[in-house]
Amino acid sequence: MSLSLGQSVIRFGIPLVLGGSAYVAYISGYEDGPPKPDGTPQFKNVVYADPFAGGLPTACLGLTRSVSPVPVVLGDYWSDEQCMAVGSIVAARGQARVLDCIKVPVTQPILNSFSSHGHNFGEASTCASRAMGLLNAGKYELACDALAHDPDGKPAWSYVKTGKRLKTGEWEYRFVQGLYNRRLKESTDCMKGVALLRANYDFATGTWRAQP
C-alpha cells in the first residue's frame, strides 16, 4: 500500500496534504470500522446497501456513485488497493473544497476534522456551518466545539431522519450515538490541531516553525 498518496499544498505558510493515506485511514476508521492488527485500514471490500442512506450502494470509505469516479455496484468487490486509490482521489477533492472555505491558518488535524465532517454531511453543509463561521472568525476553540455541539451544548450533527413526519409536518429525527462519537472525535482532534497551531505558528509574520 503506497504511502505517497495525496497532494501537498501550502496555505498561510503551513504545509498540508490533501487525500493523504493517513487521512484516508482516518475516514476508513469511521466508515469501515477499526483497523487491522498491523494498523492498516480494514476496508469494507464488498459494496453494500447502506441502511442509513435508504439502501444506497456504498463502497469502502462510504463512497457512493455521487462522489466515486468509478461505478459503485452492489455486490462488487473492491481490493484494498482500489479502496485506497479511489478513496485518496475522493478525499483530496473533498478536502480541497473544505480548504477553499477556510480563510484562516489551519494545521492538518484541523483540516482533517472539518474534512471528515464534510465527508459525512457534504462539503457544502460544512462550509455553511456555524463551526466554519467561527473558524473563519478566528475563534478556533469554539469552532472545534461547534463540530459536535449546538450553542446550548446539546449534540449537533448527530441525528438521522426516521422517515416519519411530526404533526407539524417537519421530519422526525433520532439521535445516533455513533454519529455523536464521531463528532466528539473530530472536535477533540481539531482542538489538538489548534494547540499545534498556537505552539508553532507566528500569526504576526505568517511563519510556521514545525516540521511537516
Side-chain angles (χ1 to χ4, degrees):
M1 185 176 295
S2 173
L3 296 180
S4 62
L5 298 173
Q7 175 187 356
S8 297
V9 297
I10 302 291
R11 285 290 300 271
F12 293 97
I14 303 175
L16 301 167
V17 178
L18 307 180
S21 55
Y23 176 66
V24 173
Y26 183 89
I27 294 300
S28 177
Y30 291 126
E31 301 288 351
D32 301 316
K36 297 176 182 178
D38 63 0
T40 57
Q42 180 69 63
F43 294 119
K44 290 182 179 177
N45 299 107
V46 178
V47 177
Y48 61 97
D50 188 347
F52 291 108
L56 183 68
T58 304
C60 42
L61 297 157
L63 302 180
T64 64
R65 62 175 180 266
S66 65
V67 297
S68 175
V70 299
V72 180
V73 180
L74 195 65
D76 274 6
Y77 179 85
W78 287 35
S79 67
D80 285 357
E81 290 74 19
Q82 182 177 6
C83 286
M84 181 60 79
V86 177
S88 178
I89 293 171
V90 174
R93 291 174 179 172
Q95 290 201 284
R97 294 189 191 100
V98 171
L99 189 58
D100 280 346
C101 297
I102 297 174
K103 310 304 180 185
V104 294
V106 294
T107 55
Q108 191 73 50
I110 299 174
L111 175 61
N112 286 354
S113 296
F114 274 79
S115 298
S116 171
H117 185 280
H119 187 86
N120 200 180
F121 289 98
E123 290 80 18
S125 293
T126 300
C127 286
S129 69
R130 186 174 69 92
M132 184 64 75
L134 289 167
L135 181 64
N136 284 332
K139 299 178 180 180
Y140 287 93
E141 287 82 2
L142 290 176
C144 293
D145 183 67
L147 288 172
H149 299 107
D150 289 332
D152 60 4
K154 294 181 180 178
W157 303 99
S158 303
Y159 302 83
V160 296
K161 288 182 180 179
T162 64
K164 301 177 181 179
R165 289 187 182 272
L166 302 173
K167 292 181 179 179
T168 60
E170 298 177 334
W171 285 109
E172 179 184 67
Y173 287 83
R174 67 177 177 85
F175 174 76
V176 178
Q177 185 64 48
L179 285 177
Y180 184 48
N181 292 343
R182 178 170 179 171
R183 301 288 84 80
L184 290 174
K185 181 67 164 58
E186 290 166 353
S187 180
T188 298
D189 290 344
C190 180
M191 289 289 193
K192 292 178 181 178
V194 172
L196 181 65
L197 181 70
R198 296 198 185 284
N200 294 283
Y201 190 72
D202 187 328
F203 285 85
T205 63
T207 303
W208 175 249
R209 296 185 290 269
Q211 294 296 315

